[in-house]
Amino acid sequence: MEHQTTTDEEIQSSTTNKPKKSKAKEIKTPFRLKRYYVFALITIFTLVLPFITISGNQIFLLSFDHQQLHLMGTVFDMQELYMMPFLLMLLFLGIFAATALGGRVFCGWGCPQTIFRVIYRDYIETKLLGMRKRISNKQKEPDYKKHAVKRMIAIGIWTLLSFIAAANFIWFFIPPADFFTYIQHPMEHTVMMGMLLGIVAFLVYDVIFLKEDWCIYICPYSRVQSVLYDENTLQAIYNPGRGGKIYDENKEKQVFKQKDLPEESNECTTCEKCVTVCPTHIDIRKGTQLECINCLECVDACTTVMGKLGKESLVQWSSNSEILEGKKTKFLRPITYMYAGVLTIVMIAMIMMGGTKEYMILDINKGQRLYKIEGKTVSNDYLMLFKNTEPKTHTYKLKVVGKYAGKIQIKRFKEATIKAGKESKEVLILSTTENLSTQKSADSILLVKLRAYSTSEPERVFVNKELSFVYPSTERVK
Ligand code: SF4
Ligand code: SF4
């Protein structure tokens, strides 16, 4: 539905018989401007992040190609993906906590969909090409027949930007250096090219044709957010006590003109500026609605309208508790403590798990033969798989530690030099000439502690293993 906007003069004249407040309130920096700053920061951060490396590793990279997860410069092998559940828990709990406290604050201030729509609708279509008259009227779609050439230009510009956005997304899965190499040989990297073109096609369809229907009908987050709200959740709220009830109990619109407002003292000018500016095409005066993405454009619009009349905005970024019940918004409440507690526990667990990370991988399997007896020497053989998860070459050695150090020797295996990210299979034979039998007529299983380490960084790159060494019965050794 298209809404008519009332001019500033009409607003002024329509309120001449209303009691005015003493002085015009200073109109604060609009939320729109603040959101633009946040959008710019998020965009720069997201574009730059894949290029920041610590010891050659990205801050975040989930590489299926190299089978690695990079997190804050630390590399985790695919076999060590125990960090992923923690990351996902942090992500979801963080969004839930932000929703309980600030409503759909993520949608209005950080969601890529919102940022992309602002770039396309408000910047490209409105400011750059003049296809739309004003940012403040998002209900009136441009006359695309009249602006056919401009529309093609707008689609062209957005398609180019979509390539950058799609590449940026892929850099969190394929390191930028590899990406730029692969893109020069597209036929050899069809999966990556398919991903790139698929994301671009989606972004063009989503931003130009699907628009806010994504937020209203498709995004799963909009379905769950309302259950996370309570009376202290911050959101865009119209004050019906001051402005007047525009809708009846059945949410049917009752008032079209200011003179029809229920009370003489009601302040809404019925200018509908808060309605025409809304990107999801809702009337916030109806109350909290699923479609509201908390962009606060309606708050800005009413702040401007009411500011000219020396009054506070009728639509505020506040809570139901404050606007409808006149109580102060409680930021520190049980749900805040609960989320803070759970997030802290997950973070501590993640840091502890990260701290126990091993910088090499070693799997050791016992050979098929139980043991070999040659005179007084008893030996066991094993098959080892070394994996170098570091970005540089390491030479690994082994030593027996603990109870059997000096009693059991490494008979076969000297060292293994393995390049970054590579693995190597090696044979290990442990032997002893001492009588370690603990049973007269049955084999004994001895738990031998082994330490594998890098010769260049033995204190950092190491792994401890416990092996079963089978020793024959005293009768058999004789
Ligand atoms: S709430 Fe404010 S912006 Fe919306 S119609 Fe009333 S006066 Fe106009
Ligand atoms: S009602 Fe519309 S304009 Fe207001 S915050 Fe919600 S989505 Fe934005």
Side-chain angles (χ1 to χ4, degrees), residues 238 268-272 274 285 302 306 314-315:
Y238 170 72
C268 180
T269 64
T270 65
C271 66
E272 304 225 328
C274 57
R285 296 171 302 170
C302 195
M306 297 309 283
L314 296 171
V315 188

Side-chain angles (χ1 to χ4, degrees), residues 41-61 70-75 168 171-172 174-177:
L41 275 177
I42 291 174
T43 307
I44 293 168
F45 178 75
T46 314
L47 278 169
V48 167
L49 196 65
F51 293 92
I52 302 173
T53 54
I54 301 171
S55 313
N57 305 316
Q58 279 180 227
I59 303 288
F60 179 84
L61 172 77
H70 292 198
L71 199 58
M72 304 306 289
T74 303
V75 181
N168 191 184
W171 295 337
F172 290 98
I174 297 173

Side-chain angles (χ1 to χ4, degrees), residues 203-216:
L203 287 179
V204 170
Y205 173 69
D206 173 44
V207 172
I208 299 178
F209 301 102
L210 200 54
K211 300 184 262 192
E212 276 71 28
D213 282 353
W214 169 273
C215 314
I216 299 168

Side-chain angles (χ1 to χ4, degrees), residues 5-19:
T5 30
T6 315
T7 64
D8 292 346
E9 291 71 32
E10 283 168 334
I11 296 164
Q12 197 75 44
S13 71
S14 70
T15 53
T16 44
N17 55 354
K18 294 279 168 189

